[in-house]
Amino acid sequence: MASSRRLPVLAFDLDDTLWDTMETLRAAHVAMVAAAPALLEEHKTLDGFGGAMGAIKASFPEQAHDFTFLRKTTLTQLLGCEKSADAAFDKWFVARNSPCFYPGAIEALRELRASGFSLCAISDGNSRPMEIPQLEGLFDFAVSAAEAGAAKPDPRPFRLAAERAGVPCSSMVYIEIGRA
C-alpha cells in the first residue's frame, strides 16, 4: 500500500552551504571595484569597503538585514552619484549571482528533487537563486531576509517559507552548513 505521507519540504541556506561565499564575494568585489574607478583606494579592499558598509548598517539598523540596500547606499555615499553606484552594483551583482558551487552541490539537489522532495532556498544574502542557471528547476521558490523583513535566526524567514510551501513549519527541514 502506498504511503499518503508527504515528504518534508527541504529548505536550503545558500552561502557556505551550496557555494563558497568568500570566493564568490571576492569575485563580486573585484567586478564592483573595476566598475567604480572613482572609489578611494581605502575603499577598494574588501575590508575597507566592508568598514564603510558597516557604518551604513549602523546608521540604518532597521535595514541591517537587507544587503542590497546596504551595498547600494554605501556605493552611493562613497561615489557621490547614484548612477555610478547603480552601475557598480550591477557589476557586483552579476558576479554575486554567479556563485562558486561546492563540488556535488548541484548534483545532490537534482537527486533530492528527482526523489520527490520539494526544495526551497532561505537566505540572508542577496543572491537571486531563481535566476541562477545552475539552479534552474531545482527550487520551487526562494525567501530572502529582505523579503521576510528579518535575517535568520528570526522566525520570519522560516514562516514565510512555510507559508509559500503551503505547509506548517513542522513539515520543513532546514539545511545550513556554513554557520558555526
Side-chain angles (χ1 to χ4, degrees):
M1 183 159 93
S3 171
S4 63
R5 185 171 180 203
R6 186 175 177 195
L7 293 171
V9 175
L10 301 181
F12 285 85
D13 181 59
L14 303 171
D15 290 329
D16 291 329
T17 298
L18 298 181
W19 59 66
D20 184 326
T21 304
M22 282 314 299
E23 188 174 335
T24 301
L25 292 178
R26 274 190 213 100
H29 187 78
V30 167
M32 180 191 76
V33 169
L39 273 178
L40 296 176
E41 286 302 315
E42 67 195 66
H43 297 125
K44 290 184 179 182
T45 66
L46 276 169
D47 287 342
F49 190 84
M53 204 160 108
I56 294 295
K57 185 176 182 177
S59 297
F60 296 94
E62 72 284 356
Q63 295 291 337
H65 60 278
D66 187 343
F67 289 107
T68 296
F69 169 82
L70 296 173
R71 185 168 297 277
K72 283 185 168 185
T73 302
T74 303
L75 282 165
T76 301
Q77 182 183 62
L78 296 178
L79 295 172
C81 172
E82 191 171 337
K83 184 177 178 181
S84 296
D86 287 344
F89 179 84
D90 289 347
K91 293 295 185 184
W92 179 88
F93 188 77
V94 167
R96 169 66 168 118
N97 224 40
S98 302
C100 304
F101 286 98
Y102 290 128
I106 299 299
E107 295 79 7
L109 292 173
R110 285 187 185 131
E111 286 183 34
L112 290 166
R113 186 75 172 178
S115 296
F117 286 97
S118 178
L119 308 178
C120 71
I122 303 175
S123 181
D124 289 340
N126 58 354
S127 66
R128 292 189 194 136
M130 303 305 284
E131 298 173 16
I132 297 173
Q134 297 92 325
L135 297 175
E136 186 176 334
L138 295 177
F139 290 126
D140 294 307
F141 61 89
V143 170
S144 70
E147 292 175 278
K152 300 173 291 183
D154 186 286
R156 287 178 279 181
F158 302 103
R159 288 183 185 142
L160 181 56
E163 180 182 310
R164 287 188 182 169
V167 301
C169 287
S170 61
S171 292
M172 296 187 77
V173 175
Y174 179 66
I175 300 141
E176 180 174 15
I177 297 170
R179 207 171 271 184

